[in-house]
Coordinates of all heavy atoms in Angstrom, one line a residue:
A496 N 0.8 -1.2 0.0 CA 0.0 0.0 0.0 C 0.9 1.3 0.0 O 0.4 2.3 -0.5 CB -0.9 0.0 1.2
L497 N 2.1 1.2 0.6 CA 3.0 2.3 0.6 C 3.4 2.8 -0.8 O 3.7 3.9 -1.0 CB 4.2 2.1 1.5 CG 3.9 1.7 3.0 CD1 5.2 1.5 3.7 CD2 3.1 2.8 3.6
Y498 N 3.6 1.8 -1.7 CA 4.2 2.0 -3.0 C 3.2 2.8 -3.9 O 3.6 3.2 -5.0 CB 4.6 0.7 -3.6 CG 5.8 0.1 -2.9 CD1 5.7 -0.9 -2.0 CD2 7.1 0.6 -3.2 CE1 6.7 -1.4 -1.3 CE2 8.2 0.1 -2.5 CZ 8.0 -1.0 -1.6 OH 9.1 -1.5 -0.9
K499 N 2.0 3.0 -3.4 CA 1.1 3.9 -4.2 C 1.4 5.3 -3.9 O 1.0 6.2 -4.7 CB -0.3 3.6 -3.8 CG -0.9 2.2 -4.1 CD -2.3 2.0 -3.6 CE -2.8 0.6 -3.9 NZ -4.2 0.5 -3.3
H500 N 2.2 5.6 -2.9 CA 2.5 7.0 -2.5 C 4.0 7.3 -2.5 O 4.4 8.5 -2.7 CB 2.0 7.2 -1.1 CG 0.6 6.8 -0.9 ND1 -0.5 7.6 -1.3 CD2 0.0 5.7 -0.3 CE1 -1.6 7.0 -1.1 NE2 -1.4 5.9 -0.4
V501 N 4.9 6.3 -2.4 CA 6.3 6.5 -2.6 C 6.8 5.3 -3.3 O 6.5 4.1 -3.0 CB 7.1 6.6 -1.2 CG1 6.8 7.9 -0.6 CG2 6.7 5.5 -0.3
A502 N 7.5 5.5 -4.4 CA 7.9 4.4 -5.3 C 9.0 3.5 -4.8 O 9.2 2.4 -5.3 CB 8.3 5.0 -6.7
S503 N 9.8 4.0 -3.9 CA 10.9 3.3 -3.4 C 11.4 3.8 -2.0 O 10.9 4.8 -1.6 CB 12.1 3.4 -4.4 OG 12.5 4.7 -4.5
K504 N 12.3 3.1 -1.4 CA 12.9 3.5 -0.1 C 13.6 4.9 -0.3 O 13.5 5.8 0.5 CB 13.8 2.5 0.4 CG 14.6 2.9 1.7 CD 13.7 2.9 2.9 CE 14.4 3.2 4.2 NZ 15.4 2.1 4.6
E505 N 14.3 5.0 -1.5 CA 15.0 6.3 -1.7 C 14.0 7.5 -1.9 O 14.3 8.6 -1.4 CB 15.9 6.2 -3.0 CG 17.1 5.3 -2.8 CD 18.0 5.8 -1.7 OE1 18.4 7.0 -1.7 OE2 18.3 5.0 -0.7
E506 N 12.9 7.2 -2.5 CA 11.9 8.3 -2.6 C 11.3 8.6 -1.3 O 11.0 9.8 -1.0 CB 10.8 7.9 -3.6 CG 9.8 9.0 -3.9 CD 8.8 8.7 -4.9 OE1 9.1 8.0 -5.9 OE2 7.6 9.0 -4.7
L507 N 11.2 7.6 -0.4 CA 10.7 7.8 0.9 C 11.7 8.7 1.7 O 11.3 9.7 2.4 CB 10.6 6.5 1.7 CG 10.2 6.6 3.1 CD1 8.7 7.1 3.3 CD2 10.3 5.2 3.8
L508 N 13.0 8.4 1.6 CA 14.0 9.2 2.3 C 14.0 10.7 1.7 O 14.2 11.6 2.5 CB 15.4 8.6 2.1 CG 15.6 7.2 2.8 CD1 16.9 6.6 2.4 CD2 15.4 7.3 4.3
D509 N 13.9 10.8 0.4 CA 13.8 12.2 -0.1 C 12.6 13.0 0.5 O 12.7 14.1 0.9 CB 13.6 12.1 -1.7 CG 14.9 11.8 -2.4 OD1 15.9 11.9 -1.8 OD2 14.8 11.4 -3.6
G510 N 11.5 12.3 0.6 CA 10.3 12.9 1.2 C 10.5 13.2 2.6 O 10.0 14.3 3.1
M511 N 11.2 12.4 3.4 CA 11.4 12.6 4.8 C 12.3 13.9 4.9 O 12.1 14.7 5.8 CB 12.1 11.4 5.4 CG 11.1 10.2 5.5 SD 12.0 8.7 6.0 CE 12.6 9.1 7.6
V512 N 13.3 14.0 4.1 CA 14.2 15.2 4.1 C 13.3 16.4 3.9 O 13.5 17.5 4.5 CB 15.3 15.1 3.0 CG1 16.0 16.5 2.9 CG2 16.3 14.1 3.4
S513 N 12.4 16.4 2.9 CA 11.5 17.5 2.7 C 10.7 17.9 3.9 O 10.5 19.1 4.2 CB 10.6 17.2 1.5 OG 11.3 16.9 0.3
V514 N 10.2 16.9 4.6 CA 9.4 17.1 5.8 C 10.2 17.9 6.8 O 9.8 18.9 7.4 CB 8.8 15.8 6.4 CG1 8.2 16.1 7.8 CG2 7.8 15.2 5.5
V515 N 11.5 17.4 7.0 CA 12.4 18.1 8.0 C 12.7 19.5 7.6 O 12.7 20.4 8.4 CB 13.6 17.2 8.2 CG1 14.6 18.0 9.1 CG2 13.3 15.9 8.9
V516 N 13.1 19.7 6.4 CA 13.5 21.0 5.9 C 12.3 22.0 6.0 O 12.5 23.2 6.2 CB 14.1 20.9 4.4 CG1 14.3 22.3 3.9 CG2 15.4 20.1 4.4
A517 N 11.1 21.5 5.8 CA 9.9 22.3 5.9 C 9.7 22.9 7.3 O 9.0 23.8 7.5 CB 8.7 21.6 5.4
E518 N 10.4 22.2 8.3 CA 10.3 22.7 9.7 C 11.1 24.0 9.9 O 11.0 24.6 11.0 CB 10.7 21.6 10.6 CG 9.8 20.4 10.6 CD 10.2 19.3 11.6 OE1 11.1 19.6 12.4 OE2 9.7 18.2 11.6
I519 N 12.0 24.3 9.0 CA 12.9 25.5 9.2 C 12.0 26.7 9.0 O 11.2 26.8 8.1 CB 14.0 25.5 8.1 CG1 14.9 24.2 8.2 CG2 14.9 26.7 8.3 CD1 15.9 24.1 7.1
D520 N 12.2 27.6 10.0 CA 11.4 28.9 10.0 C 11.6 29.7 8.7 O 12.8 29.7 8.2 CB 11.8 29.7 11.2 CG 11.4 29.1 12.5 OD1 10.4 28.3 12.5 OD2 12.0 29.5 13.5
P521 N 10.6 30.3 8.2 CA 10.7 31.2 7.0 C 11.6 32.4 7.4 O 11.8 32.7 8.5 CB 9.3 31.5 6.6 CG 8.6 31.4 7.9 CD 9.2 30.3 8.7
P522 N 12.0 33.2 6.4 CA 12.8 34.4 6.7 C 12.0 35.3 7.5 O 10.8 35.5 7.3 CB 13.1 35.0 5.3 CG 12.9 33.8 4.3 CD 11.9 32.9 4.9
M523 N 12.7 36.0 8.5 CA 12.1 37.0 9.3 C 12.2 38.3 8.7 O 13.3 38.7 8.3 CB 12.7 37.0 10.7 CG 12.5 35.7 11.5 SD 13.3 35.7 13.1 CE 12.4 37.1 13.9
P524 N 11.1 39.0 8.5 CA 11.1 40.3 7.8 C 11.8 41.4 8.7 O 11.8 41.3 10.0 CB 9.6 40.7 7.6 CG 8.9 39.9 8.7 CD 9.7 38.6 8.9
G525 N 12.4 42.3 8.1 CA 13.0 43.5 8.8 C 14.4 43.3 9.4 O 15.0 44.2 10.0
L526 N 15.0 42.1 9.1 CA 16.4 41.8 9.7 C 17.4 42.2 8.6 O 17.2 42.0 7.4 CB 16.5 40.4 10.1 CG 15.6 39.9 11.2 CD1 15.9 38.4 11.5 CD2 15.7 40.7 12.5
D527 N 18.6 42.6 9.0 CA 19.7 42.7 8.1 C 20.1 41.4 7.6 O 19.8 40.3 8.3 CB 20.9 43.5 8.7 CG 21.5 42.8 9.9 OD1 22.4 41.9 9.6 OD2 21.1 43.0 11.0
W528 N 20.9 41.3 6.5 CA 21.2 40.0 5.9 C 21.9 39.1 6.9 O 21.6 37.8 6.9 CB 21.9 40.2 4.6 CG 23.4 40.7 4.8 CD1 23.8 42.0 4.7 CD2 24.5 39.9 5.0 NE1 25.2 42.0 4.9 CE2 25.6 40.8 5.1 CE3 24.8 38.5 5.2 CZ2 26.9 40.4 5.4 CZ3 26.1 38.1 5.5 CH2 27.2 39.0 5.6

């Protein structure tokens, strides 16, 4: 049933990385670089 949503273990790992990176806060406005 999982392979309907992720084609392989590598694709699963790619997606897991995406979940973690999405936890990084977006840029805060008004700050110097």
